[in-house]
Amino acid sequence: MGIKRGYASFCNIIPTFQAIFYIISSLNPCAIYSLQMALSLTIEKEFAQTSERVKSVDLHSTEPWMLASLYSGTICIWNYQSQTLEKSIKVTESPVRSVKFVARKHWIITGADDKFIRVYNYNTMEKIKEYEAHTDYIRSVTVHPTLPYLLSCSDDKVIKLWDWEKDWECTQVFEGHSHYVMQVAFNPKDTNSFASASLDGTIKTWNIGSSAPNFTLQGHSKGVNCVDYFIHSDKTYLLSGSDDFTAKVWDYETTSCVKTLEGHENNVTTVSVHPELPIIITASEDGTVHIWNATTFSLEHKLNYGLERVWAIGHMKGSYKVAFGFDNGTIIVKMNASA
C-alpha cells in the first residue's frame, strides 16, 4: 500500500485466449461431443494510472470518463481518451468507499467512512447535498436506474433508501443482517427489488415497500463482500464473492447454489457480470482478476497487473470497457470478442 508499482509485467502485453466450449448430449448411452463455437476474447489495456488505494470505480455512460474514489478521501475523474485528469476534489479525510455517476442529473454521489453521503455536480464540482446517512462506515451506494432513489448500506448493519426528489428523505430502512452490510445491487429485471451482501455470511433479497427480506442465501463459510445480478437465457442469477476465497452463482428462482467458482487465493472483494459479453469477472485481495464463462462457469483467464489487491470493478451498458481499482492504481481494458 502506498508503493507505486511498475507496469513491466503487463505494459506491452495483450492477453488473448481461445475458449472452446463443448456440449455433452445424453440422447444415448454414449456421450456425444459436439464443438459449439470458438470464442476469441482479446483484452487490450487502454488506460493505466498509479495512485493511492482505489476503493471504487465507475464509468460515465456518455463521456470518456472514469471516476475513482480513494482511501485517502479524494475522488478523481480521469479522461481515458486523452489520458488526463479532468477533475479532482478532496471529499473528506476518511476513505470514500463508494462513488457513482448519476449522468441524468450530472451528479457524483459518494459514501464515506465519516458516515456522510455527499452529492456533487460533476461539471462545476459544486457540492449539492451533504448529510449524515448512517451511524458507521458507509460501504456502498447504488443508484436506481430510473427512479430518484439511492440505496446505501453500512457497518451499522442496515440498508437505507433515499429519495432525492423529497430532499433526500430516508423513505425506508431495511434491517435483518447481523453484521456489516458490504454491498447492495438493484435487480435489472425487477428494479423494485434488490440484493444485499453481508459479513454475516448471507445474501438477502428485498422489495422496496416491504420491510422483511424475500429470501436469504446461505452457503459461504465466511463473510460475503459483494453481490451482483445477471441474466442468462431470460433466467435470473445472483453472483456473490466472499472471504472464503470463492464466488458463488445462485439460481434466483430456486435459491440454490448452482456453481462455486474456485481459484482465488485470498478474499474475493468484487464481482461483476459484463453487460455485453457472456463473462463473469471476479477480483481478489490476491491481486488477480479472473474471467469466467457465464454459461459453463469455467475459468477462462487470469489477469495480474502487479498493482496489489483489487478492490473495484466498473463498466457500463453498451461498452466493452472495464475498469479495475487496485491498491496502487487503476486500469481500463477493452474486451473484444469474436466467434
Side-chain angles (χ1 to χ4, degrees):
M1 295 181 295
I3 301 174
K4 297 176 176 59
R5 304 276 179 168
Y7 291 87
S9 61
F10 67 89
C11 269
N12 298 310
I13 297 174
I14 300 175
T16 303
F17 61 91
Q18 298 286 332
I20 310 296
F21 308 135
Y22 291 90
I23 299 175
I24 302 176
S25 170
S26 57
L27 296 176
N28 58 60
C30 297
I32 302 172
Y33 292 86
S34 63
L35 179 63
Q36 183 187 31
M37 181 175 63
L39 178 69
S40 176
L41 184 63
T42 303
I43 304 170
E44 303 177 62
K45 181 177 65 67
E46 293 196 337
F47 177 87
Q49 179 63 47
T50 58
S51 72
E52 297 169 326
R53 191 192 314 173
V54 178
K55 295 305 296 180
S56 180
V57 291
D58 196 19
L59 295 177
H60 195 279
S61 58
T62 57
E63 301 289 342
W65 293 347
M66 180 195 67
L67 177 62
S69 69
L70 306 184
Y71 193 82
S72 64
T74 298
I75 60 173
C76 304
I77 299 176
W78 290 92
N79 187 314
Y80 52 78
Q81 284 185 356
S82 64
Q83 308 277 306
T84 57
L85 179 64
E86 290 272 344
K87 296 178 175 73
S88 176
I89 188 171
K90 182 76 170 180
V91 172
T92 174
E93 295 301 322
S94 302
V96 179
R97 295 186 185 271
S98 188
V99 64
K100 291 287 187 296
F101 279 122
V102 188
R104 64 187 187 267
K105 301 293 289 185
H106 304 281
W107 286 349
I108 294 168
I109 300 181
T110 68
D113 279 9
D114 64 5
K115 313 166 194 174
F116 278 79
I117 287 174
R118 295 174 177 88
V119 185
Y120 296 87
N121 180 307
Y122 58 60
N123 293 317
T124 65
M125 297 309 282
E126 172 193 3
K127 189 187 297 179
I128 304 297
K129 185 71 176 179
E130 177 182 56
Y131 61 97
E132 188 167 349
H134 288 270
T135 60
D136 209 331
Y137 297 171
I138 298 172
R139 292 286 177 170
S140 173
V141 294
T142 191
V143 181
H144 193 281
T146 56
L147 297 174
Y149 295 163
L150 178 76
L151 279 174
S152 61
C153 62
S154 166
D155 286 5
D156 63 13
K157 307 175 189 176
V158 303
I159 303 157
K160 294 186 178 182
L161 180 70
W162 309 90
D163 187 333
W164 66 66
E165 287 190 353
K166 296 181 178 179
D167 194 27
W168 296 94
E169 176 187 346
C170 179
T171 57
Q172 194 170 353
V173 177
F174 303 87
E175 298 178 287
H177 283 295
S178 59
H179 208 314
Y180 305 161
V181 187
M182 302 297 286
Q183 191 174 23
V184 282
F186 279 108
N187 183 343
K189 284 191 72 175
D190 175 13
T191 55
N192 192 57
S193 64
F194 65 92
S196 58
S198 171
L199 291 191
D200 64 13
T202 70
I203 304 99
K204 294 180 184 290
T205 67
W206 314 75
N207 277 346
I208 294 173
S210 176
S211 60
N214 297 326
F215 58 81
T216 299
L217 301 176
Q218 295 179 294
H220 285 290
S221 61
K222 292 187 178 180
V224 185
N225 294 311
C226 44
V227 65
D228 195 13
Y229 286 86
F230 75 100
I231 313 300
H232 179 67
S233 298
D234 206 38
K235 189 177 179 68
T236 303
Y237 296 87
L238 281 165
L239 178 65
S240 59
S242 168
D243 286 345
D244 65 11
F245 301 2
T246 74
K248 288 182 181 290
V249 180
W250 308 84
D251 186 308
Y252 191 80
E253 292 183 2
T254 66
T255 70
S256 60
C257 177
V258 298
K259 187 67 176 179
T260 298
L261 307 180
E262 298 179 298
H264 283 294
E265 297 177 358
N266 209 321
N267 303 336
V268 178
T269 53
T270 180
V271 295
S272 187
V273 179
H274 197 285
E276 303 299 331
L277 297 171
I279 58 173
I280 292 168
I281 306 170
T282 63
S284 167
E285 289 187 46
D286 65 13
T288 68
V289 174
H290 288 189
I291 299 174
W292 312 77
N293 183 309
T295 302
T296 65
F297 307 126
S298 59
L299 177 60
E300 301 295 343
H301 204 62
K302 298 180 183 180
L303 304 174
N304 190 335
Y305 292 113
L307 294 176
E308 302 297 338
R309 297 174 296 182
V310 197
W311 297 108
I313 300 170
H315 50 60
M316 60 182 173
K317 191 169 179 60
S319 171
Y320 294 94
K321 299 181 192 300
V322 182
F324 300 106
F326 301 82
D327 267 341
N328 293 323
T330 49
I331 297 286
I332 296 177
V333 300
K334 184 177 182 181
M335 297 185 178
N336 293 301
S338 60

